[in-house]
Amino acid sequence: MPYTNPMAQVYDTGAFESIMDQGLELADWNGFESRVASSGHEGKLRGRGLATFLEWTGGNAFEERVTVRVAADGIIEVMTALMPMGQGIATSFAQVVTDILGLPLDKIRILHGDTDLANGFGSAGSRSIFTGGSSVMVASKRTLDKARELAAEELECSPDDVEYLAPRLVVAGTDRGIDLFELAGRQTDKQIFIDSTSAVDGSTWPNGCHICEVEIDPQTGDTQIVSYANVNDVGKVINPLIVTGQLEGGAVQGMGQALCEAVVYEAGSGQLQTGSLMDYCLPRADIIGTFKTGLDQSIPCKNNPLGVKGVGELGTIGATPAVVSAVMDALVRAGVPERKRLALQMPLTSEKIWALLND
């Protein structure tokens, strides 16, 4: 590393063998045959599938605009075109600001989607945190630099002599200083305002190893995901709860694609028969048994100052091939001929599996 692939894209960091080894350990790979035997005693077919993968995130949209307003009322407003889509991005952005400015989260207000205040590329391709978060970090640092300059004028000293001891700016080695928000109130427009545009150096390449084990009931064709283990390299992690939620939520979406989600039209008329969630089979919490998720933060990205990698789509990339491979492995063990296995198309519903097992 860095490695340039045949498409002229550069992998900045990666430890792929290590990620796979961690996945094998988390899944108890070597204990699988005993679990096959246990499933057999209950009349079930057991199979396992493994998927290792590398994702290209962010495309080539590396620049983002962020504005920061320090208001006299004690609130810092950060405006960005990056949009929340259930991924908790406002919380992560606020944590980035807090890390730079040393203020509690209730003093930070993240604003989205108002094109009168800010324009930018927006959320797409898992770029929100590594591009947008990095831009929030840069904008926060520029805000602090601006505050030092303004404080130096108030305190009649050089900006280099101003230290930031949140929320005060003080002359180094003295007790002379001014509160950040008081400083904002002394400005002509009662605020400290920064309009910041910055860019990261390239895409990020998150990767992972996902391992799935399934049990199939040959009497009904019902397939249950009994265990799922995954280890992911997403670089540095700002909020582990949010990242784990995205990985596991994405994996469940991938499981749904593999096993149950299908759009059905009536033969002849073309009438949609799965037009509501009463008919369309979404994955639910009961689609999975044991769920183990690991995060390896030892391989930070070198293309952005946060060291983070995209994560929004990572779970679903690994889950679908891992689940399908696990089902195929179970069918191999049941002696289903290859030509019949290869004729299967997702979703692998109980009806399809039952028909295959019962010829």
Side-chain angles (χ1 to χ4, degrees):
M1 297 293 171
Y3 173 79
T4 303
N5 72 11
M7 302 300 291
Q9 299 297 320
V10 179
Y11 307 156
D12 61 312
T13 59
F16 312 121
E17 184 176 357
S18 172
I19 296 298
M20 185 174 73
D21 288 342
Q22 293 176 60
L24 296 176
E25 181 178 356
L26 191 63
D28 185 23
W29 184 268
N30 293 331
F32 176 67
E33 293 303 330
S34 65
R35 295 191 291 275
V36 171
S38 296
S39 296
H41 293 322
E42 298 178 3
K44 303 289 182 65
L45 305 173
R46 195 177 189 108
R48 68 177 171 185
L50 178 150
T52 59
F53 54 93
L54 178 70
E55 184 192 4
W56 177 42
T57 64
N60 290 316
F62 300 140
E63 186 178 273
E64 197 62 52
R65 179 189 178 206
V66 172
T67 65
V68 179
R69 186 175 78 92
V70 181
D73 63 0
I75 296 296
I76 294 179
E77 290 186 342
V78 179
M79 180 65 203
T80 171
L82 279 298
M83 292 296 293
M85 299 177 289
Q87 79 276 49
I89 198 67
T91 299
S92 298
F93 283 172
Q95 288 182 252
V96 171
V97 178
T98 293
D99 190 53
I100 302 299
L101 298 181
L103 299 170
L105 285 174
D106 61 5
K107 296 291 186 181
I108 313 300
R109 183 179 299 151
I110 307 296
L111 304 177
H112 307 268
D114 188 339
T115 53
D116 285 335
L117 298 177
N119 286 290
F121 189 89
S123 293
S126 296
R127 71 185 292 273
S128 294
I129 196 63
F130 86 84
T131 303
S134 295
S135 293
V136 168
M137 178 183 179
V138 171
S140 299
K141 289 184 175 180
R142 289 174 177 172
T143 300
L144 194 51
D145 291 341
K146 179 66 173 178
R148 283 195 178 97
E149 293 176 4
L150 296 174
E153 295 176 7
E154 291 285 338
L155 302 172
E156 299 181 340
C157 67
S158 167
D160 294 336
D161 293 332
V162 176
E163 292 183 345
Y164 180 63
L165 304 175
R168 288 178 57 78
L169 296 114
V170 301
V171 180
T174 75
D175 59 357
R176 295 176 56 233
I178 185 171
D179 181 88
L180 175 65
F181 299 106
E182 180 186 350
L183 179 64
R186 293 190 182 186
Q187 306 310 305
T188 304
D189 51 0
K190 306 299 182 183
Q191 66 178 1
I192 300 171
F193 183 79
I194 290 292
D195 190 333
S196 172
T197 298
S198 59
V200 296
D201 295 331
S203 299
T204 72
W205 300 91
N207 56 91
C209 175
H210 288 216
I211 299 171
C212 173
E213 293 187 18
V214 301
E215 275 188 343
I216 298 175
D217 183 349
Q219 300 300 315
T220 63
D222 180 57
T223 300
Q224 293 293 321
I225 299 172
V226 290
S227 69
Y228 195 89
N230 64 111
V231 173
N232 307 274
D233 167 15
V234 294
K236 294 295 184 181
V237 173
I238 293 173
N239 189 309
L241 184 63
I242 286 176
V243 169
T244 301
Q246 289 194 66
L247 285 165
E248 295 184 350
V252 170
Q253 290 286 178
M255 295 170 193
Q257 180 183 1
L259 295 181
C260 62
E261 293 194 59
V263 175
V264 179
Y265 295 92
E266 184 179 45
S269 71
Q271 173 66 41
L272 179 64
Q273 294 184 316
T274 51
S276 77
L277 298 183
M278 294 294 289
D279 306 302
Y280 184 85
C281 187
L282 280 177
R284 301 180 300 273
D286 63 359
I287 198 173
I288 190 169
T290 303
F291 211 144
K292 298 179 181 179
T293 299
L295 302 175
D296 188 330
Q297 297 191 54
S298 67
I299 318 154
C301 179
K302 296 181 179 180
N303 291 336
N304 64 80
L306 291 173
V308 299
K309 302 179 183 181
V311 69
E313 300 156 301
L314 207 61
T316 193
I317 293 173
T320 305
V323 172
V324 172
S325 294
V327 172
M328 292 301 172
D329 183 48
L331 295 177
V332 168
R333 293 170 184 272
V336 176
E338 181 180 28
R339 61 180 179 81
K340 292 186 177 181
R341 299 196 311 272
L342 295 180
L344 274 179
Q345 297 292 319
M346 295 188 298
L348 306 182
T349 62
S350 57
E351 178 186 17
K352 292 179 183 178
I353 300 297
W354 181 88
L356 193 70
L357 290 172
N358 291 277
D359 203 21

